[in-house]
Structure formats: C-alpha cells, structure tokens
C-alpha cells in the first residue's frame, strides 16, 4: 500500500514540476532548435550551448518586446498565442502520459488532455503577460 501511495505522490510532484516547465515550452523549443542548428554546422558543444541559450532568451525577449511596444490588442494576443501554443501541446502530452494508464482511450481521455492543455496555455499567457508588465514598468 505504501508503494502505491509513493507512486501517486511522485506522479503528482512530477506533474506539478512538468506544469511549471511546460509554461516555458517556446523558449525550450527555440533553444533546442538553435543548439541543433549550430551543432549541425560543425561548431563545438560550448558554442552550441551558448547559441541555444541565446535562442531561448531571444524568443522570450521578442514576445516581451511585442507586448511592451504594440498597442494593437490583436497583435498582443497573437504574441501571447505564439508563446502559448507549444505550452498547450506540452500540457496535452503531460496529461496524456499520466492519464493513459488510468483511462481507456476515447473521448474522456481526449477531453481531459485537451482541458489540461488549455489550462497550461492560459497559465503560460498569464505568466508571460505578468513578466512583460513587470519588466517594462521599471
């Protein structure tokens, strides 16, 4: 019984940790893409790592710059949506990975995963909007 409770508590802890990381899915994807591009071009690991960090930072800076300087609400919403789309996919995959062993494949599993993806996407939009307002108000 204690092993089952340990497995449940570890699943919950890993889900919370993955939720925190899923919010930053766009910078991770941009960083990995920059790393692979530079490393595939023949650069070493160190330079590729720096390019990955720069790609991740530039993706966040680009979205925050749009949020800070754009007055059009549709442009701001598009920038937040660009940031939230990979987060929604990561949230869907997270819920599917956890719930596929508990539920039969079907409409209930799909709705649960889509709901989790929507929650992670909204959390990413709120987090980035708060970060943009906090950085640009100073």
């Amino acid at each position: 019984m204690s092993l089952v409770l340990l497995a449940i508590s570890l699943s919950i802890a890993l889900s919370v940790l993955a939720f925190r990381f899923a919010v930053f899915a766009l910078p991770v994807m941009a960083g990995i893409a920059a790393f692979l591009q530079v490393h595939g071009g023949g650069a070493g690991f160190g330079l590729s790592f720096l390019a990955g960090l720069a790609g991740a930072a530039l993706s966040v800076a680009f979205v925050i710059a749009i949020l800070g300087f754009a007055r059009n609400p549709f442009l701001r919403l598009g920038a937040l949506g660009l940031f939230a789309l990979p987060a929604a996919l990561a949230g869907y995959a997270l819920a599917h990975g956890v719930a596929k062993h508990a539920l039969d494949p079907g409409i209930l599993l799909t709705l649960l995963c889509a709901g989790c993806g929507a929650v992670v996407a909204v959390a990413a939009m709120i987090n980035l909007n708060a970060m943009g307002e906090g950085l640009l108000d100073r």
Side-chain angles (χ1 to χ4, degrees), residues 7-8 11-12 14-15 18 90-117:
I8 291 172
S11 295
I12 291 171
L14 287 176
S15 295
Y92 182 91
L94 169 69
H96 191 271
V98 171
K100 70 179 177 182
H101 300 293
L103 298 172
D104 291 331
I107 190 74
L108 184 63
L109 180 63
T110 304
L111 288 175
L112 176 71
C113 296
C116 186

Side-chain angles (χ1 to χ4, degrees), residues 3-113:
L3 189 59
V4 171
L5 292 176
L6 178 66
I8 291 172
S9 63
L10 284 177
S11 295
I12 291 171
L14 287 176
S15 295
V16 169
L17 183 66
F19 174 77
R20 299 268 183 192
F21 288 151
V23 169
F24 298 105
L26 178 69
V28 170
M29 287 174 48
I32 290 173
F35 176 87
L36 291 175
Q37 185 70 26
V38 172
H39 193 68
F45 183 79
L47 186 61
S48 300
F49 182 75
L50 288 176
L53 286 178
L58 284 175
S59 70
V60 172
F62 176 70
V63 174
I64 287 178
I66 289 176
L67 289 176
F69 298 119
R71 298 288 179 227
N72 187 353
F74 292 114
L75 184 61
R76 293 172 58 94
L77 187 63
L80 288 173
L82 175 72
F83 197 86
L85 186 63
L89 292 175
Y92 182 91
L94 169 69
H96 191 271
V98 171
K100 70 179 177 182
H101 300 293
L103 298 172
D104 291 331
I107 190 74
L108 184 63
L109 180 63
T110 304
L111 288 175
L112 176 71
C113 296

